[in-house]
Amino acid sequence: MTATFSRQQMTATALIGTGLARRSRQKRVGDACILTFHGVCASGEDAGLLDASLHTPQKFFHELCAHLAKNYRVLPLDVISRMLTRNEPLPDRVVALTFDDGYESNYRLAYPALREFELPATIFLCTGFIDGTVQPWFTQLEVAMARATVRQIEIQIGAVPLRFSTATQTERATALPTVLRAFKQLPQSAVAENLNRLVKALQPVLDGNIPAPLRPMNWKQARELRDSGLINFGAHTHTHPILGRCTTEVARHEIFHSRDRISTELGAAPALFAYPNGHAYDYNADTKHLLQEAGFRAAFTMIPGRALPDTDPCELPRYGSPESLQQAEATVSGAFETFKAWRQRMRRAFSPSM
Ligand SMILES: [Zn+2]
């Protein structure tokens, strides 16, 4: 995480310093940049987390909103999706803001900044989380690891043998990505059993409370956001499984049930969907077919890239959340993409000919 961040940060600084970001912003037309956030975190609230990267600091989020409002055209994702579907030309400098899962911090900390700058956003709800009946498996895992009382774990998760130290918060935080990766390779039907086994081995002190950034919003708050006219809601399954690792039956239930819970609670069926985890192997042709059958117009991945009129509407790309204004500008302006294309051209030009 840190290594990736600092490498990206260095590239971003260079792209801005050389003026490439400014030129990209001026030249880039006809595509949309869709940013993905999860939670927003007030100062000091990240103390109980092992991985704060999913929870954008509130102060930075406010600065980012100010920057986007001044320099870009932030449109509702629903509007962008319709324009792409109809093959209508997008205006230049188009950005959309999205939030996954439905954290309470979206309501408490992100919405005030969005309202101040009149920026629309879409929140993709994991409906069981909002119902208060589901705690997504990855947050259960993070909380159990953060509160472990044993010093060392040796456990087999699916095909992956794991051995890690849990003596300090730093060691637990270091181990977390490896443990998450092992869980993401499991078939969905094996997640609960493996999670129970790991939690038992960790012997965590669980008091029923979870850190504030990991708490869900409720339906009343979602209705208030809907009524503001700025916030639109999409679906993100009911229990947050990786759909590509589910049977068709389970994937169908997750997609249809999350659609129906949103229809019941918010009065309209959602047209947009975001894949949990969202990488290439996290959904498949079956998943896309089910989404179309359930009446979704568009679905969003976590594969970085620009959304264009000829992009598959069930595989619209999104960028992760930036961690600095420079990273945000290099991403949103398209400078990262311009740089990537230039690097590929150079590699081809200098690779030995066959
Ligand atoms: Zn999610």
Side-chain angles (χ1 to χ4, degrees):
M1 187 67 217
T2 312
T4 312
F5 172 66
S6 51
R7 209 169 33 244
Q8 279 198 346
Q9 181 60 37
M10 265 165 28
T11 312
T13 308
L15 293 174
I16 288 164
T18 56
L20 187 63
R22 188 170 25 83
R23 284 201 300 281
S24 284
R25 190 203 297 172
Q26 286 159 354
K27 276 168 62 180
R28 192 167 277 278
V29 287
D31 65 14
C33 168
I34 307 166
L35 294 177
T36 311
F37 299 87
H38 286 80
V40 171
C41 194
S43 169
E45 268 188 351
D46 58 355
L49 302 175
L50 290 185
D51 177 12
S53 67
L54 289 183
H55 305 276
T56 303
Q58 181 187 15
K59 185 169 171 289
F60 168 60
F61 186 74
H62 187 270
E63 287 166 4
L64 179 62
C65 286
H67 178 76
L68 294 175
K70 186 171 169 217
N71 298 294
Y72 290 92
R73 210 182 300 248
V74 180
L75 294 181
L77 190 61
D78 194 48
V79 169
I80 294 173
S81 148
R82 278 177 205 278
M83 292 180 82
L84 290 171
T85 309
R86 293 178 191 148
N87 217 358
E88 288 173 21
L90 290 173
D92 57 351
R93 296 177 292 116
V94 167
V95 179
L97 304 178
T98 67
F99 294 82
D100 282 7
D101 303 340
Y103 294 97
E104 182 265 350
S105 66
N106 295 171
Y107 171 83
R108 182 169 48 94
L109 302 172
Y111 176 59
L114 296 170
R115 191 179 48 200
E116 180 181 342
F117 295 101
E118 293 181 31
L119 301 180
T122 295
I123 302 178
F124 289 105
L125 298 175
C126 168
T127 48
F129 186 42
I130 312 306
D131 284 344
T133 55
V134 170
Q135 187 64 35
W137 65 267
F138 53 91
T139 58
Q140 288 185 51
L141 194 154
E142 179 174 351
V143 171
M145 282 191 53
R147 298 178 181 179
T149 55
V150 293
R151 301 179 66 80
Q152 183 86 27
I153 288 286
E154 200 164 342
I155 196 167
Q156 181 86 17
I157 299 296
V160 184
L162 292 176
R163 186 160 187 238
F164 54 92
S165 177
T166 47
T168 65
Q169 282 299 87
T170 309
E171 285 171 335
R172 296 164 193 179
T174 306
L176 184 64
T178 312
V179 181
L180 284 171
R181 245 192 325 274
F183 271 86
K184 286 177 184 180
Q185 290 171 33
L186 292 172
Q188 181 56 27
S189 56
V191 170
E193 185 273 316
N194 279 274
L195 184 60
N196 288 341
R197 212 158 33 81
L198 176 58
V199 172
K200 212 167 153 190
L202 288 162
Q203 298 178 28
V205 180
L206 299 175
D207 55 7
N209 282 322
I210 57 167
L214 300 181
R215 292 178 196 152
M217 73 171 68
N218 59 41
W219 289 111
K220 185 170 172 288
Q221 291 164 335
R223 279 189 283 275
E224 195 183 322
L225 294 180
R226 174 204 61 190
D227 293 343
S228 73
L230 269 187
I231 310 294
N232 179 41
F233 289 93
H236 191 49
T237 73
H238 190 66
T239 69
H240 209 288
I242 294 181
L243 291 169
R245 304 212 174 265
C246 294
T247 62
T248 304
E249 254 165 89
V250 171
R252 171 184 291 276
H253 177 75
E254 289 286 341
I255 290 168
F256 280 71
H257 193 52
S258 63
R259 178 200 67 179
D260 293 344
R261 287 298 297 127
I262 292 174
S263 299
T264 303
E265 296 290 344
L266 301 180
L272 310 178
F273 185 91
Y275 300 105
N277 217 44
H279 298 290
Y281 295 103
D282 299 332
Y283 58 93
N284 52 38
D286 227 24
T287 325
K288 287 162 58 174
H289 188 75
L290 287 168
L291 288 171
Q292 282 162 349
E293 199 186 316
F296 288 97
R297 189 193 326 124
F300 298 83
T301 70
M302 279 301 298
I303 301 167
R306 320 293 289 190
L308 293 152
D310 60 357
T311 311
D312 181 341
C314 281
E315 289 191 63
L316 288 161
R318 294 188 296 169
Y319 294 99
S321 51
E323 299 186 20
S324 70
L325 271 188
Q326 284 170 322
Q327 240 188 56
E329 179 59 14
T331 302
V332 177
S333 68
F336 269 141
E337 298 296 333
T338 309
F339 176 63
K340 211 159 76 184
W342 172 81
R343 213 169 44 184
Q344 277 165 359
R345 277 200 308 275
M346 286 297 117
R347 274 204 194 116
R348 274 198 297 272
F350 289 105
S351 65
S353 52
M354 300 291 284

